[in-house]
Amino acid sequence: VQLQASGGGLVQPGGSLRLSCAASGTIFRTNVMGWYRQAPGKQRELVAAITSGGATNYADSVKGRFTISRDNAKNQVYLEMNSLNPEDTAVYYCNAVPPFKNRDRSNYWGQGTQVTVSS
């Protein structure tokens, strides 16, 4: 079982980043994959989701700025982020929707990637 997000970094307000996530087939075969984020002192939230057929859904806070996509042949999920603002600063994770479960029924979270928006 693997979830590994990458592509984060430091970007100025108004800038763009593209995140990538490599998922093991066990998780990727789930119908819906998503990107979550957790800002300091806040709960983790789902910001974008995509079905295996390509239907998408977004949180209001990122709608029109973020685009989620997936490559089913490569077990990869992507998040294109534009017009970034400081409120987008967070650690970003990919996972199934709802999150993949460990054997003890807790949520499995792989490696996230830090996105920092600052001038």
Side-chain angles (χ1 to χ4, degrees):
V1 174
Q2 174 185 293
L3 287 166
Q4 186 163 356
S6 60
L10 173 64
V11 63
Q12 292 187 340
S16 299
L17 281 174
R18 185 174 189 254
L19 307 184
S20 300
C21 173
S24 59
T26 301
I27 298 175
F28 200 83
R29 278 191 289 273
T30 304
N31 181 42
V32 185
M33 292 293 296
W35 282 96
Y36 301 75
R37 69 184 181 187
Q38 187 167 20
K42 295 188 177 181
Q43 288 191 334
R44 198 168 310 195
E45 62 173 343
L46 177 66
V47 297
I50 185 168
T51 69
S52 57
T56 58
N57 196 26
Y58 298 92
D60 288 343
S61 58
V62 307
K63 200 171 294 183
R65 301 188 297 121
F66 290 11
T67 302
I68 188 172
S69 59
R70 64 191 286 168
D71 186 330
N72 292 333
K74 296 181 179 179
N75 289 359
Q76 297 257 352
V77 186
Y78 308 99
L79 187 68
E80 187 76 33
M81 305 187 296
N82 298 312
S83 301
L84 285 162
N85 59 62
E87 289 70 38
D88 296 316
T89 295
V91 179
Y92 285 71
Y93 303 84
C94 66
N95 208 333
V97 181
F100 188 81
K101 299 291 186 185
N102 292 307
R103 289 193 175 189
D104 64 2
R105 307 308 298 165
S106 61
N107 290 334
Y108 170 77
W109 293 101
Q111 177 181 319
T113 187
Q114 175 71 48
V115 172
T116 303
V117 185
S118 175
S119 55

